[in-house]
């Protein structure tokens, strides 16, 4: 048994933390949050040069990592600094799907994904799908040798910046069937594709995506017709490792800020951290934080494992981290008082990142149900 | 024991309900129901409609133009207003300053300021908290130094709610730095058009501008703007805070919020069925509703006692803690119910935005409201301060 990071991952963590501490200051991030694009192209390129995107892909795919623990190391640091750039959407999801399903020709795009010059988005969820991965109403129909997509995709993160959207559509079966779902590589400038973009509460941007008879070449399909569902669940699992690790990192920052504030803020002639009522609440947060760290390790360690174990640990981690995240974000704001309610204070953004992670790829209740389904059969 | 309202109280409820059905503009109710912020004009429009009816000041004695309703009537009125999605009555002039002026103000102050509050000529804001004086309010530092017929005020107030709309501010200022903290504070009325007063916005974590910093640099305030006696301000401040705590449980807000959660959960689908049918989500909603039913009765027990002349003690602190916990839980349920559509940020979360919403009805502002209402357990005496009060009374043998 050994819970230490490998030397490579330790170096990755150190260099990423150093870069973000130096460059991703509160001021820089607040400027990014107020920008029209919702992310910094400059920071994105620099992080790509640092190898952060490459760390999310295996050597076969052109990277040097790609395992659950690589994802966890990267996203914990991104979470710690409250980074809003689209690593999850462009790399773990978009790039990951191309890597898993693409032909050699399609996979040539990965080089640009890894060097940061090409951004991707995964257009999967729909207005009525909530968190159900098999709920796909968008249709793909063959017409005169072309594929025609019609439907609507909801809250597609990073859609506006993406050069390609990876769109799921149904070629066969009923709305909730796992069989019959395919993925398509759709260039952003394809006629019939329209976006309504908007900012997200916790930073970054998303769009409602309308597919109005979008005509594609047959070679745009990723993988075998109708067989995309297992790969979608595998990438959703990777996304869950990323989100849980990001939340862990954000919780670390939230508790550090709170510890510092308790030690400096004076009321009634003494630091408020000298009141036992507050000390005990802080101690409870630190206990839960270690629980979350272990849950993330469990999930990351089973990402490459067989699907049952993978899904069980993903569901456990997401449920536990969601519960802990709510506790930590609410309690750290409360322990601060009014200052944490202000936009410009670091914790406000961190708390929003924590809470909004509970709205991607399943919330606490969704993962509780997943866990019940898996653990009782 | 009798859990029902009297015939007279029920008739009163019907009268209030009739008035709201008649006079509350539907577009205004819709704005409140959507959880959007309200403009100054909207608040003033609603105040004017209530004033016309003679109902703008439920808590004031009749001699000052109020309704002089008892605690049960006020509760019924607030309850019906919440149900109808009426805007809240802006409390700073009407329910905070006015009771202080009525009890401690001079005849001239009462004659001058009270009618202007009813007519919306003046919009008041509260100058209590300071950057270094939050929970420990008595440590406030803004000072007022007597110079002939004026006080010269220097310092800074913060968390001044809707101060950007206000033309007057009532302030706690330090007039004697040599004595025990509480004994050197005075209660001063300051015209915000006076040179040296500056209002700076504070943007909250949901992007809204509802609170401000108010800075005072050599602001000259006529001595006749002192309320009561110099250095007795702390007594008046405590009196004001007891009035701030009426309707502290927010039962009506919670009931409206819970109804909105249920509406949303009926329309949101989960695994092909309405979310409301999902046992995990339904259990969360049920727990909140069970808590709310009990708290509603706790609230009525206290109100009923108050109507008989019993002064509420630690009960109002208990209601503050439990009431805010329940409201915040309901805000959490709403953001959960919205699913992925909790993520978009509606930058125009205030009145007057014409852009069509991104997600389904009832999802647009739920996450912003969830964050905004974290304030409920922080302001008006944080829940930690309320627990101190409860513990002191129940454990410490104190007041």
């Amino acid at each position: 048994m050994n819970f230490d990071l490998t030397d490579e991952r330790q170096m990755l963590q150190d260099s990423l933390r150093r870069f973000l501490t130096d460059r991703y200051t509160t001021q820089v991030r607040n400027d990014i949050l107020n920008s029209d694009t919702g992310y910094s192209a400059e920071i994105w390129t620099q992080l790509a040069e640092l190898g952060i995107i490459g760390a999310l892909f295996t050597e076969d795919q052109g990277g040097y990592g790609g395992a659950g623990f690589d994802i966890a190391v990267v996203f914990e640091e991104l979470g710690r600094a409250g980074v809003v750039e689209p690593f999850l959407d462009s790399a773990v999801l978009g790039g990951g799907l191309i890597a898993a399903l693409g032909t050699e020709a399609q996979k040539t795009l990965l080089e640009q994904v890894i060097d940061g010059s090409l951004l991707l988005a995964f257009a999967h969820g729909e207005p009525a799908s909530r968190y159900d991965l098999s709920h796909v109403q968008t249709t793909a129909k063959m017409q005169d040798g072309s594929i025609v997509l019609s439907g609507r995709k909801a809250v597609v993160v990073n859609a506006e910046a993406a050069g390609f959207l990876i769109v799921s559509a149904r070629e066969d079966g009923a709305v909730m069937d796992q069989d019959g779902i395919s993925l398509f590589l759709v260039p952003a400038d394809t006629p019939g594709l329209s976006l309504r973009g908007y900012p997200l509460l916790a930073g970054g941007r998303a769009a409602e995506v309308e597919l109005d008879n979008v005509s594609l070449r047959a070679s745009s399909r990723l993988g075998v017709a109708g067989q995309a569902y297992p790969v979608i669940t595998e990438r959703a699992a990777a996304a869950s490792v990323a989100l849980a690790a990001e939340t862990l990192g954000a919780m670390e920052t939230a508790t550090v800020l709170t510890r510092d504030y308790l030690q400096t803020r004076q009321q009634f002639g003494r630091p408020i951290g000298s009141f036992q009522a507050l000390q005990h609440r802080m101690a409870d947060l630190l206990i839960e934080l270690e629980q979350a760290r272990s849950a993330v390790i469990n999930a990351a360690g089973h990402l490459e494992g067989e699907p049952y174990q993978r899904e069980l640990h993903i569901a456990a981690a997401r449920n536990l981290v969601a519960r802990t995240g709510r506790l930590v974000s609410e309690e750290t704001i409360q322990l601060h008082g009014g200052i944490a309610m202000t936009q410009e204070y670091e914790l406000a953004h961190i708390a929003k990142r924590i809470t909004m992670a509970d709205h991607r790829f399943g919330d606490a209740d969704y993962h509780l149900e997943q866990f019940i389904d898996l653990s009782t059969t | 024991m009798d859990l029902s309202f009297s015939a007279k109280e029920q008739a009163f409820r019907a009268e209030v309900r009739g008035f709201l059905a008649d006079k509350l503009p539907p577009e205004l109710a819709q704005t409140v129901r959507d959880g959007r912020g309200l403009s100054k004009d909207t608040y003033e429009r609603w105040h004017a409609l209530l004033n016309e009816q003679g109902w703008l000041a439920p808590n004031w004695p009749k001699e000052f133009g109020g309704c002089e309703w008892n605690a049960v009537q006020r509760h019924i009125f607030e309850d019906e207003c919440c149900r109808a999605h009426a805007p809240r009555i802006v409390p700073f002039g009407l329910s905070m300053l006015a009771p202080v002026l009525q009890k401690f103000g001079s005849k001239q102050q009462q004659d001058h300021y009270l009618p202007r509050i009813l007519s919306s000529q003046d919009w008041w804001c509260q100058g209590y908290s300071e950057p270094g004086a939050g929970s420990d309010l008595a440590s406030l530092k803004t000072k007022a130094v007597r110079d002939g017929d004026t006080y010269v005020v220097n310092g800074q107030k913060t968390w001044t709610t809707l101060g950007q709309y206000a033309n007057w501010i009532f302030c706690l200022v330090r007039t004697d730095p040599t004595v025990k903290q509480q004994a050197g504070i005075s209660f001063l009325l300051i015209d915000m058009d006076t040179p040296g007063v500056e209002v700076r916005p504070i943007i909250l974590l949901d992007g809204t501008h509802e609170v401000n910093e108010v800075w005072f640099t050599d602001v000259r305030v006529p001595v006749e703007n002192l309320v009561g006696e110099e250095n007795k301000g702390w007594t008046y401040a405590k009196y004001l805070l007891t009035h701030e705590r009426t309707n502290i449980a927010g039962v009506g807000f919670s009931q409206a919020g819970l109804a909105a959660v249920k509406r949303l959960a009926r329309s949101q689908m989960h695994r092909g069925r309405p979310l409301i049918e999902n046992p995990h989500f339904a259990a969360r909603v049920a727990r909140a509703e069970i808590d709310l039913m009990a708290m509603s009765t706790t609230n009525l027990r206290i109100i009923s006692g108050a109507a008989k002349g019993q002064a509420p003690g630690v009960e109002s602190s208990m209601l503050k803690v439990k009431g805010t916990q329940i409201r915040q839980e309901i805000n959490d349920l709403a953001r959960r119910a919205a699913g992925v559509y909790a993520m978009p940020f509606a930058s125009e979360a205030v009145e007057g935005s014409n852009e069509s919403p991104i997600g389904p009805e009832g999802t647009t502002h739920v996450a912003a409201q969830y964050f905004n209402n974290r304030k409920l357990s922080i302001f008006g005496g944080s829940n930690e301060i309320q627990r101190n009060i409860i513990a002191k009374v129940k454990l410490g043998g104190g007041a």
Side-chain angles (χ1 to χ4, degrees):
Chain A
M1 206 151 293
N2 178 7
F3 289 101
D4 298 336
L5 293 178
T6 60
D7 290 346
E8 291 78 10
R9 290 188 183 123
Q10 189 62 58
M11 281 169 59
L12 173 66
Q13 185 185 64
D14 292 346
S15 63
L16 180 52
R17 189 177 298 182
R18 207 176 311 120
F19 177 91
L20 294 173
T21 306
D22 291 348
R23 297 294 320 278
Y24 214 78
T25 59
T26 304
Q27 185 56 51
V28 167
R29 196 189 49 233
N30 285 345
D31 289 346
I32 294 171
L33 290 172
N34 292 327
S35 69
D36 291 339
T37 54
Y39 78 102
S40 160
E42 189 191 341
I43 298 267
W44 177 255
T45 306
Q46 288 169 349
L47 285 168
E49 282 166 8
L50 202 60
I52 304 308
I53 304 176
L56 303 169
F57 293 88
T58 65
E59 281 183 39
D60 289 352
Q61 296 163 350
Y64 62 96
F69 286 120
D70 299 302
I71 294 173
V73 164
V74 168
F75 279 86
E76 186 181 340
E77 294 311 313
L78 297 176
R80 194 190 296 276
V83 172
V84 300
E85 276 64 25
F87 289 90
L88 178 63
D89 304 280
S90 192
V92 176
L93 292 165
L97 289 165
I98 293 174
L101 291 172
T103 60
E104 288 310 314
Q106 288 167 332
K107 281 199 267 195
T108 57
L109 291 174
L110 289 178
E111 199 182 318
Q112 299 168 59
V113 172
I114 290 170
D115 73 21
S117 60
L118 174 65
L119 286 125
L120 301 171
F122 181 31
H124 181 53
E126 298 182 356
S129 67
R130 201 171 171 83
Y131 304 121
D132 299 329
L133 292 175
S134 68
H135 189 291
V136 176
Q137 255 174 310
T138 298
T139 56
K141 299 212 165 85
M142 291 299 295
Q143 259 173 33
D144 310 323
S146 298
I147 298 164
V148 179
L149 304 185
S150 295
R152 190 179 157 197
K153 295 292 178 179
V155 197
V156 180
V157 180
N158 200 41
E160 295 160 303
F164 290 86
L165 300 185
I166 295 167
V167 179
S168 62
R170 185 166 289 290
E171 296 201 74
D172 193 23
V175 175
M176 306 276 288
D177 285 355
Q178 295 180 2
D179 283 342
I181 301 168
S182 300
L183 293 175
F184 301 92
L185 207 45
V186 182
D189 57 1
T190 312
L193 178 72
S194 58
L195 309 183
R196 179 185 171 197
Y198 46 80
L200 296 172
L201 188 74
R205 291 180 65 85
E208 299 301 287
V209 175
E210 197 83 40
L211 297 140
D212 182 14
N213 288 306
V214 171
S215 182
L216 303 169
R217 271 180 271 179
S219 60
S220 310
R221 188 188 286 108
L222 276 171
V224 179
Q227 299 299 307
Y229 183 75
V231 176
I232 292 172
T233 56
E234 191 278 329
R235 277 298 96 187
S240 274
V241 169
L243 287 161
E246 183 192 336
T247 304
L248 174 65
M251 291 193 295
E252 283 161 354
T253 297
T255 50
V256 167
L257 287 168
T258 306
R259 183 200 63 198
D260 292 350
Y261 193 76
L262 290 176
Q263 288 171 343
T264 49
R265 170 71 172 174
Q266 301 266 333
Q267 289 283 269
F268 306 104
R270 55 200 257 205
I272 57 174
S274 66
F275 294 107
Q276 197 175 39
L278 304 192
Q279 289 172 352
H280 283 187
R281 285 162 73 179
M282 190 69 205
D284 280 339
L285 297 187
L286 297 174
I287 293 167
E288 297 304 327
L289 189 62
E290 291 313 309
Q291 283 282 89
R293 190 185 313 283
S294 292
V296 169
I297 289 169
N298 284 343
H302 287 88
L303 186 61
E304 292 83 46
E306 53 98 13
Y308 174 83
Q309 285 295 326
R310 179 189 78 202
E311 293 300 308
L312 189 75
H313 284 286
I314 293 290
R318 290 298 313 275
N319 175 263
L320 189 143
V321 170
R323 285 186 282 127
T324 312
R326 181 185 176 194
L327 181 79
V328 169
S329 65
E330 292 183 354
E331 282 285 83
T332 53
I333 290 173
Q334 183 70 26
L335 288 167
H336 273 82
I339 185 74
M341 292 295 298
T342 63
Q343 184 87 288
E344 65 177 22
Y345 187 67
E346 177 92 8
L347 181 58
H349 173 70
I350 294 291
K352 283 186 270 186
R353 293 298 292 180
I354 292 171
T355 305
M356 287 299 124
D358 194 31
H359 292 266
R360 297 206 71 187
F361 293 95
D363 64 4
D365 286 355
Y366 171 88
H367 288 289
L368 184 70
E369 279 179 25
Q370 293 288 106
F371 189 87
I372 291 169
D373 287 351
L374 291 161
S375 64
T376 53
T377 52
Chain B
M1 288 278 172
D2 180 359
L3 295 180
S4 51
F5 286 94
S6 71
K8 224 173 132 186
E9 286 161 351
Q10 286 176 37
F12 176 70
R13 185 182 287 278
E15 189 190 354
V16 173
R17 195 171 288 189
F19 165 79
L20 290 165
D22 253 14
K23 294 290 166 72
L24 173 62
E27 74 278 8
L28 218 160
Q30 191 59 44
T31 306
V32 173
R33 189 173 145 146
D34 291 346
R36 279 181 284 162
L38 301 178
S39 68
K40 183 181 187 185
D41 285 352
T42 300
Y43 281 120
E44 288 181 345
R45 185 175 165 209
W46 179 233
H47 280 199
L49 287 166
L50 285 172
N51 196 31
E52 223 167 86
Q53 175 78 5
W55 286 0
L56 181 57
N59 56 327
W60 292 16
K62 286 198 170 123
E63 55 166 314
F64 296 115
C67 307
E68 210 170 314
W69 286 337
N70 68 22
V72 176
Q73 289 172 303
R74 293 208 300 268
H75 166 76
I76 290 171
F77 178 69
E78 283 161 5
D79 193 34
E80 288 299 321
C81 285
C82 277
R83 239 177 245 258
H85 304 286
R88 67 170 183 155
I89 296 178
V90 181
F92 311 108
L94 282 153
S95 42
M96 293 184 183
L97 175 64
V100 172
L101 289 181
Q102 287 159 9
K103 192 158 169 82
F104 305 105
S106 67
K107 176 83 172 56
Q108 288 90 330
Q109 285 170 339
Q110 292 170 351
D111 289 346
H112 179 73
Y113 293 111
L114 294 175
R116 294 169 64 94
I117 291 173
L118 287 178
S119 67
S120 294
Q121 245 173 301
D122 290 334
W123 184 301
W124 286 86
C125 62
Q126 183 186 36
Y128 268 35
S129 295
E130 296 181 4
S135 287
D136 184 11
L137 183 60
S139 69
L140 61 92
K141 291 198 169 63
T142 297
K143 62 176 182 183
V145 178
R146 182 79 184 255
D147 177 21
D149 288 342
T150 61
Y151 287 103
V152 181
V153 178
N154 280 285
Q156 185 203 341
K157 295 294 177 181
T158 194
W159 312 127
T160 310
T161 303
L162 301 184
Q164 72 269 36
Y165 298 162
N167 59 332
W168 281 83
I169 182 168
F170 56 90
C171 279
L172 293 179
V173 292
R174 187 157 300 287
T175 36
D176 187 348
T178 63
V179 292
K180 186 171 164 267
Q181 280 184 342
Q182 286 83 351
I185 293 169
S186 297
F187 196 106
L188 211 53
L189 311 177
I190 302 177
D191 182 340
M192 293 179 76
D193 289 332
T194 318
V197 178
E198 192 197 343
V199 179
R200 298 182 194 167
I202 299 173
I203 304 303
L204 293 183
L205 77 177
D206 63 336
T208 55
H209 173 202
E210 60 182 43
V211 293
N212 302 272
E213 298 174 344
V214 182
W215 295 70
F216 301 92
T217 313
D218 294 330
V219 176
R220 301 193 79 87
V221 181
V223 286
E224 60 259 33
N225 289 15
L226 177 74
V227 175
E229 293 176 49
E230 197 176 83
N231 296 326
K232 291 282 173 62
W234 189 248
T235 310
Y236 314 148
K238 283 200 298 187
Y239 180 78
L240 182 155
L241 285 173
T242 61
H243 280 265
E244 189 184 7
R245 290 199 184 125
T246 57
N247 191 28
I248 200 160
V251 174
F253 292 116
S254 284
Q255 285 167 338
L258 197 65
V261 166
K262 288 181 174 179
R263 273 199 303 276
L264 183 54
R266 276 194 286 272
S267 66
Q268 285 287 300
M269 301 300 280
H270 171 70
R271 291 185 167 182
R273 301 292 311 161
L275 178 63
I276 195 83
E277 295 175 16
N278 176 263
H280 304 291
F281 190 78
R284 287 184 189 273
V285 176
R287 276 196 294 270
E289 188 162 7
I290 289 164
D291 288 349
L292 180 54
M293 285 162 65
M295 190 188 63
S296 167
T297 296
T298 310
N299 193 36
L300 290 173
R301 281 161 54 204
I302 293 163
I303 285 165
S304 172
K308 289 178 192 143
Q310 297 161 11
V314 288
E315 292 87 352
S316 63
S317 291
M318 292 179 172
L319 280 177
K320 162 94 202 293
V321 174
K322 187 44 77 179
T324 53
Q325 283 172 343
I326 291 173
R327 274 180 78 183
Q328 290 175 334
E329 179 63 23
I330 290 168
N331 288 136
D332 182 73
L333 292 172
R335 68 130 184 119
R336 275 176 208 284
V340 293
Y341 280 113
M343 291 166 65
F345 174 55
S347 49
E348 296 297 321
V350 289
E351 228 188 340
S353 160
N354 292 322
E355 220 172 286
S356 65
I358 292 150
E361 199 195 334
T363 60
T364 312
H365 304 296
V366 290
Q369 267 187 339
Y370 163 82
F371 284 108
N372 185 282
N373 273 347
R374 300 315 306 168
K375 73 188 176 193
L376 297 176
S377 49
I378 297 172
F379 69 14
S382 73
N383 284 14
E384 288 71 29
I385 292 297
Q386 306 302 334
R387 290 187 183 95
N388 280 351
I389 292 167
I390 295 163
K392 189 176 172 193
V393 172
K394 296 292 184 184
L395 298 174

